[in-house]
Amino acid sequence: MPFSFKVMSLSQTPVIDSLLPQHATRKFVASRANPEYSCESGSTKFFALCGFAGVLSCGLTHTAVVPLDLVKSRMQVDPAKYKNMVTGFKISVAEGGLISLARGWAPTLVGYSVQGLGKFGFYEVFKHVYSNLLGEENAFLWRTSLYLAASASAEFFADIGLAPFEATKVRIQTKPGFVAQMRTGMPIMYKDGGIMEFYKGLPPLWARQIPYTMMKFACFERTIEMLYKYVVPKPRAECTKPEQLVVTFTAGYIAGVFCAIVSHPADTIVSKLNQSKGGTAGGIARELGFAGLWKGLGARILMIGTLTGLQWFIYDSVKVILRLPRPPPPTMPESLKKKLEAKQS
């Protein structure tokens, strides 16, 4: 979210201050003095609670759409059999019953909870660190680049935690005859290929998730800024919290549509790569061809758009419940306004 800070002493934020150069300006939201908030923006407690909100945001939403994700993955790895969403659901239910649509729920819940911790928690950390390194004026002028850099940095680490569970989920959902439980599937995979069996899909996972997350955060941040500026008929400060959460969901859904498009080819490769042993990302891309890489895009847009909107809604709702600082969209610093006015005069 946007950044507005108040100067603090080094002792108040030992973890984050250790990441900053001595000359960096440290500003934080005045929250400890404000009883409305439970902690200060930029404090260790703030980052920890943002990570917790991310756990709920990603873990719950990804688990809720497991049936759609299962059919999407099967369309990607076996398009001849699962020709479209309707056919995919019919075949899946006919072969395994309704219960089969929940295959892979456990690694989805655990994996994306771990990812959510890193994605949202580290995003707030890196955005804070990078904005202090840039300074107030440059952080405003280069805010889109700031969002992109912070989200990419966060997702790099988040995917390391996600990869083993994503590999297990795809194997459970797409390999015929494979076990249906995570607790039995992971030992089998480890026996087959060791620890690297869980991480062979990490590079294409990064290729999928980092562009996705960069779009997710940068597009959301700029969309919510434009919604309040051009669409919402009153200032954010005059909106009730439920009204603000509706704007949050709308901006999140819009961001999700773009996320699905930029990350879909890599998602297809991840699904194929984790379906069975052997194969490389480059080999699978050549085998599928350009058209094959886009199989299942419609289902993924529906899934990711809804999922991303709900993730932002849950994330922001948890911040409201926990009374965390939620700064408004950024505005031009007064010092920068004066500089621009001086140039024009």
Side-chain angles (χ1 to χ4, degrees):
M1 298 293 290
F3 28 85
S4 175
F5 307 110
K6 179 183 176 181
V7 175
M8 295 178 62
S9 68
L10 286 173
S11 61
Q12 289 174 296
T13 54
V15 174
I16 301 306
D17 283 335
S18 65
L19 301 174
L20 296 172
Q22 290 297 315
H23 65 273
T25 303
R26 287 178 276 274
K27 297 180 180 181
F28 299 87
V29 170
S31 52
R32 184 169 294 176
N34 189 340
E36 179 184 353
Y37 302 126
S38 63
C39 62
E40 296 176 347
S41 179
S43 66
T44 302
K45 181 180 178 180
F46 173 78
F47 295 127
L49 291 177
C50 286
F52 172 71
V55 168
L56 298 179
S57 172
C58 293
L60 295 178
T61 52
H62 276 277
T63 305
V65 296
V66 162
L68 190 59
D69 183 47
L70 178 140
V71 174
K72 181 268 301 178
S73 295
R74 290 179 173 178
M75 288 171 60
Q76 290 172 326
V77 302
D78 193 356
K81 181 177 181 180
Y82 303 95
K83 299 181 184 299
N84 53 56
M85 285 297 297
V86 176
T87 303
F89 272 106
K90 285 182 177 178
I91 294 175
S92 297
V93 172
E95 292 181 345
L98 283 173
I99 192 66
S100 68
L101 295 178
R103 284 179 69 96
W105 73 268
T108 297
L109 176 62
V110 177
Y112 282 93
S113 294
V114 172
Q115 188 216 34
L117 174 67
K119 183 193 294 280
F120 283 94
F122 286 154
Y123 173 70
E124 298 288 358
V125 170
F126 282 115
K127 185 173 70 171
H128 173 80
V129 172
Y130 294 162
S131 64
N132 276 288
L133 291 173
L134 288 170
E136 185 181 29
E137 293 181 4
N138 286 329
F140 175 79
L141 292 172
W142 296 91
R143 59 191 182 280
T144 300
S145 298
L146 172 63
Y147 303 146
L148 292 170
S151 56
S153 301
E155 190 63 33
F156 177 86
F157 293 102
D159 287 346
I160 295 173
L162 170 64
F165 302 99
E166 179 73 1
T168 306
K169 181 205 75 171
V170 173
R171 186 72 62 88
I172 288 173
Q173 290 181 338
T174 62
K175 185 176 181 180
F178 195 71
V179 298
Q181 294 80 31
M182 180 180 72
R183 66 180 182 273
T184 52
M186 295 188 86
I188 292 172
M189 293 176 65
Y190 182 79
K191 185 178 179 180
D192 286 345
I195 192 67
M196 291 311 299
E197 187 70 11
F198 298 108
Y199 285 98
K200 69 178 183 179
L202 182 57
L205 186 63
W206 276 328
R208 180 188 82 182
Q209 288 297 130
I210 290 178
Y212 165 87
T213 301
M214 292 171 71
M215 182 66 71
K216 174 178 181 174
F217 282 88
C219 185
F220 171 80
E221 298 271 21
R222 295 310 300 262
T223 300
I224 206 164
E225 187 178 330
M226 288 187 287
L227 286 176
Y228 278 114
K229 186 174 182 179
Y230 299 111
V231 179
V232 180
K234 55 185 177 182
R236 181 180 182 271
E238 297 178 13
C239 295
T240 63
K241 284 186 170 61
E243 290 173 337
Q244 292 176 9
L245 292 175
V246 170
V247 177
T248 295
F249 175 80
T250 303
Y253 196 97
I254 293 170
V257 173
F258 290 100
C259 289
I261 295 171
V262 301
S263 62
H264 190 74
D267 181 65
T268 302
I269 292 173
V270 169
S271 295
K272 289 288 287 184
L273 195 60
N274 286 320
Q275 182 190 20
S276 58
K277 294 192 297 181
T280 64
I284 289 172
R286 288 190 294 271
E287 175 189 339
L288 292 173
F290 182 80
L293 290 173
W294 295 97
K295 276 286 186 180
L297 178 60
R300 194 155 188 269
I301 286 177
L302 176 63
M303 182 183 82
I304 296 299
T306 305
L307 183 144
T308 305
L310 287 174
Q311 283 181 352
W312 278 113
F313 181 83
I314 292 171
Y315 181 68
D316 214 21
S317 297
V318 173
K319 292 179 79 172
V320 169
I321 294 169
L322 297 178
R323 297 188 298 113
L324 299 182
R326 298 166 55 248
T331 55
M332 184 178 293
E334 287 300 320
S335 59
L336 186 58
K337 287 181 181 179
K338 291 178 181 178
K339 288 180 180 179
L340 293 177
E341 290 172 356
K343 287 182 178 180
Q344 293 173 354
S345 60

